[in-house]
Amino acid sequence: ESYAQGRKTLRVCDLADDSSLRMDPHLQFDERNCNVINQIFESLLEFDPDGSPTPALAKTWRRLDSHTVQFNLRQDIFFHNGEPCDAYAVKFSLERNLDPNLKSPAFHMVDSIKRIEVIDKLTFNIHTRYPDGILLNRLAQFGHIVPPSYIEMVGNEGFEKRPVGTGPF
């Protein structure tokens, strides 16, 4: 596809073998893939220059107790297909990454999460199985949010071929 056909195409120059490039953030665990994934998808948090978690999709968070962190999302964030990026999308994304049927290679990085509780459209709590002192770091690296309705419509294979995120591309 090209611009001449009315569609936009992102072309990535990479000299490595394309067979290992995965476009689904929940189905990859490779530094090379992350360079591309981070251009398409955003996480709840990101790292500042000193390596500390800082706001991304989540604008604020606070620890409610040793097993619970409450997050508030930024308003008016949408996936490239127009679908809202809200607390329901976060719940879907984190549960998808934790689903043993998906076989996410990053499952072990988020498996401290016991459940996600949606409070309202922009607020949710993450309950952990144990006090997880590096949960925020885990979410900065492996907390990519994906569009629930789009994935339900096209399936995992369709999503891998035509990913949709909230990132710059």
Side-chain angles (χ1 to χ4, degrees):
E1 295 170 90
S2 70
Y3 285 102
Q5 295 170 321
R7 297 191 180 200
K8 295 179 181 179
T9 300
L10 175 63
R11 298 195 193 285
V12 178
C13 180
D14 190 348
L15 301 177
D17 175 18
D18 283 348
S19 66
S20 66
L21 183 62
R22 301 299 306 259
M23 299 301 285
D24 185 329
H26 299 153
L27 291 177
Q28 65 85 32
F29 192 71
D30 180 277
E31 182 75 26
R32 178 178 161 257
N33 290 347
C34 285
N35 292 329
V36 174
I37 293 293
N38 289 332
Q39 302 305 309
I40 301 170
F41 301 94
E42 292 178 282
S43 293
L44 293 171
L45 307 169
E46 59 189 16
F47 292 114
D48 70 12
D50 295 323
S52 298
T54 189
L57 292 174
K59 68 176 182 178
T60 61
W61 58 90
R62 65 187 176 113
R63 190 164 287 282
L64 300 180
D65 60 46
S66 65
H67 289 72
T68 311
V69 181
Q70 184 169 86
F71 293 85
N72 293 295
L73 295 170
R74 291 186 290 144
Q75 288 185 280
D76 300 322
I77 302 297
F78 296 90
F79 293 98
H80 298 142
N81 67 342
E83 189 174 337
C85 181
D86 57 19
Y88 300 100
V90 170
K91 179 177 172 62
F92 173 86
S93 299
L94 294 176
E95 288 177 348
R96 179 178 187 261
N97 205 7
L98 289 165
D99 182 352
N101 295 318
L102 186 66
K103 296 182 171 72
S104 171
F107 172 86
H108 68 287
M109 297 305 291
V110 292
D111 68 350
S112 69
I113 297 173
K114 182 177 181 180
R115 68 184 173 93
I116 300 92
E117 172 189 15
V118 173
I119 306 301
D120 62 39
K121 190 175 175 183
L122 297 175
T123 310
F124 62 95
N125 294 339
I126 293 181
H127 300 271
T128 58
R129 298 179 192 290
Y130 52 84
D132 186 350
I134 60 169
L135 177 66
L136 301 180
N137 295 61
R138 295 174 195 273
L139 294 174
Q141 280 190 287
F142 305 101
H144 294 103
I145 308 305
V146 298
S149 296
Y150 179 70
I151 291 177
E152 289 170 2
M153 180 178 71
V154 301
N156 291 336
E157 190 173 307
F159 183 64
E160 177 79 25
K161 290 179 183 175
R162 295 195 180 270
V164 171
T166 59
F169 293 99

